Amino acid sequence: MQIGIDKMGLFTPNTYLDLVMLANARGVDPDKYTIGIGQDQMAIAPLSQDSVTMAANAALEVLDDDNRDSIGLLILGTESGIDQSKAGALYVQRLLGLKNARAFEIKEACYGATAGLMTAYDFVAAHPEQKALVIGSDIARYGLDTPGEVTQGAGAVAMIVVSAAPRLLALEPATAIHSDDIQDFWRPNYSKEAFARGKYSTEQYIEFFQATWADYRAQTGRTISDFKALTFHLPYTKMGLKALRTILPEATEAEQAYLLDRYQESTLYSRQIGNIYTGALYLGFLSLLEQSTQLAAGDRIGLFSYGSGAISEFFTGILQPGFEKQLAGADHKAMLAARRQLTMAEYENQFQAELPEDGSEYEIDLAMDNAPIILKGVKEHERNYQVRD
Ligand code: CAA
């Protein structure tokens, strides 16, 4: 029985910051951001979008009359959760009109959605008549005028996982995992911004990639020649390239050029949206599928997931016949094109805007947010979500 991804959805807020503008404001050479880091724009979430609303908005794209009633598992992977107790997945379930799913939230930095995907794999293996909805949704925040500022972003990717006949990607059983207790990136409960040991985190990412790649090769006997594309968790687009470059010498020159072209295709959405933490690997995978004209059914794609703290997993899938019909590249292009560019002042205001934490009532100005699912405000410590008609 095959198990894999049937459909994918994407959501990102409708405002962004141009990173050349950010570089100029911070007195940095813009090439450092656009070439050295590899980012052009980053999505900035308004107060009316949080990890719950973005997750639900992304999931709207993948739910239909055929799968809605058979969602038995709903997992939200996020490291920007809105509650220490209640799972964001339960709000998402209600906002989507779903019922009685095993709904919960997973946290392990940017690995959360992969933890969800692997759990969904086991779930649909045990319950082939049911489907799983797995979502990675996050707002990446490092703080104004910090080294990590240019690697922020916001958005969500949703995936339907099914058994028997996934129409996009059939996951293969072999996976390689490497995990260890390290302190490269973390966010204590009292902080709204992440703490990152920037250089150390990039070194660890590469070491963890090399460990899983070596393990995967040893387990399966496969080589780099067995892959038509390798996709990566993308905290910024240069990061995956650094990891890819460490194994490219294993390929022929022609294979190297081919894999580098596919890598570039996988970075387009991240370049415009930024780091979306749990969804970032899947954003890269979706970008590859929606940008590339070179891929065909039967191609093996590698996916490298990395969550700081840290755990990494390298796993693979085979593109399915007709996979192109499952994609919505034109819609995603239109969503990105319709975004409004913020001025520096608007960005800094939006970044610093906060919901009250003292129980007072607050209504969010919704004039600029046209998303179907929004956060309207808070009252007595409860978030008030709305699905627009
Ligand atoms: N023109 C072109 N390139 C330039 C340049 C210029 N004028 N000036 C600098 N560069 C290049 C540098 O040579 C460097 O390239 P290499 O990495 O290839 O050597 C690159 O731009 C970045 O320069 P610095 O290393 O000096 O940048 P920095 O010290 O300001 O910080 C960063 C970069 C560490 C990524 C920082 O943005 C950061 O801390 N980000 C958050 C942490 C992060 O994303 N870590 C990634 C691994 S952890 C992970 O993956 C989990 C997650 O999602 C967070």
Side-chain angles (χ1 to χ4, degrees), residues 239-282:
M239 185 70 253
L241 183 60
K242 285 179 189 231
L244 175 61
R245 279 181 180 151
T246 66
I247 63 162
L248 272 184
E250 297 171 21
T252 65
E253 266 185 35
E255 287 168 345
Q256 290 190 23
Y258 188 87
L259 287 172
L260 281 169
D261 285 348
R262 302 293 78 72
Y263 179 80
Q264 291 310 331
E265 289 160 355
S266 80
T267 61
L268 191 97
Y269 290 164
S270 300
R271 270 194 169 272
Q272 298 174 67
I273 293 173
N275 192 357
I276 60 166
Y277 288 162
T278 44
L281 165 62
Y282 303 95

Side-chain angles (χ1 to χ4, degrees), residues 28-38 79 109-110 140 142 146-152 184-185 194-206 233-236 238-239 242 245 275-278 280 306-309:
V28 171
D29 180 353
D31 286 355
K32 173 175 174 181
Y33 289 178
T34 57
I35 300 167
I37 302 272
E79 54 190 291
C110 305
Y142 292 91
T146 60
E149 183 178 32
V150 64
T151 65
Q152 301 176 131
D184 61 331
F185 167 106
F195 294 85
R197 294 199 167 103
K199 295 272 184 286
Y200 176 64
S201 68
T202 60
E203 287 158 16
Q204 290 301 305
Y205 177 113
I206 292 170
H233 166 57
L234 294 175
Y236 54 96
K238 182 76 158 296
M239 185 70 253
K242 285 179 189 231
R245 279 181 180 151
N275 192 357
I276 60 166
Y277 288 162
T278 44
Y306 179 82
S308 288

